[in-house]
Amino acid sequence: MEKKIKENLIYKGRIITLYNDDVICDNNKLTKREYVHHNGGAGILAVKDDKILLIKQFRYPYHKEIFEIPAGKIELGESPYLTAIRELEEECALKASSLEELGYIYPTCGYSDEVIYLYLAKEFILTKTNFDEDENITSKWYTISEVLKMIDNNEIVDAKTLIAIYRYLAKKA
């Protein structure tokens, strides 16, 4: 196992922190390890009447709109479960009465320590959205067959969304 010798902070932003640490490898060689620290996130697969709720929002790194499940960043001191409850309501105006765990993923383990926790919501009440000032999100319910066609056509390419859908379908089978 590699051992950190020195932590080197490069950048601290609102969402990520970048490090370029000095480490010693198992073979006693010194090297550098760049990585991004992220507080983690929670994604919610909302299902109602055999339909799946997807949001669509512009993602700057790709310069296009992306289909995703509702999700968001875990705030300092907040549990992933409460993040999921909060994000579903903020982005889709749905207050979940309970969530079922669908596991967690390491979306970019080569350069980030981010963990995304996945949940399934089947029961909720309609409330109102509360977007961040820089968010422009639309949401729509899709049948499972529509979602599978969107996956086949590479319209849904977001990793957390794909994994949440496939884990849900595997549990359902």
Side-chain angles (χ1 to χ4, degrees), residues 41-167:
I44 313 90
L45 182 70
V47 177
K48 177 181 79 172
D49 301 326
D50 265 344
K51 291 185 177 180
I52 292 174
L53 181 66
L54 294 176
I55 64 170
K56 193 175 186 182
Q57 66 180 320
F58 182 81
R59 291 299 194 176
Y60 182 80
Y62 300 104
H63 301 289
K64 65 180 185 178
E65 288 185 313
I66 304 289
F67 285 104
E68 303 174 54
I69 58 173
K73 181 173 70 80
I74 298 170
E75 299 298 337
L76 198 58
E78 184 178 45
S79 72
Y81 186 93
L82 291 178
T83 300
I85 296 281
R86 175 178 52 77
E87 288 292 337
L88 183 61
E89 185 171 16
E90 285 179 2
E91 295 183 355
C92 301
L94 297 175
K95 178 85 170 178
S97 56
S98 66
L99 299 175
E100 181 181 329
E101 291 183 9
L102 289 176
Y104 61 90
I105 61 170
Y106 299 156
T108 51
C109 57
Y111 62 87
S112 176
D113 65 358
E114 180 181 15
V115 178
I116 299 176
Y117 299 86
L118 302 172
Y119 295 93
L120 173 64
K122 292 182 184 175
E123 296 178 15
F124 25 77
I125 58 170
L126 190 60
T127 61
K128 63 178 190 161
T129 57
N130 184 21
F131 298 131
D132 293 340
E133 66 180 37
D134 62 347
E135 284 182 317
N136 183 14
I137 298 172
T138 58
S139 59
K140 182 178 173 187
W141 293 94
Y142 295 89
T143 65
I144 291 173
S145 62
E146 288 172 322
V147 166
L148 292 174
K149 282 181 191 168
M150 293 168 77
I151 292 170
D152 286 343
N153 294 332
N154 286 315
E155 294 174 73
I156 299 173
V157 293
D158 174 63
K160 71 182 171 305
T161 301
L162 292 167
I163 293 168
I165 290 167
Y166 284 127
R167 284 191 177 169

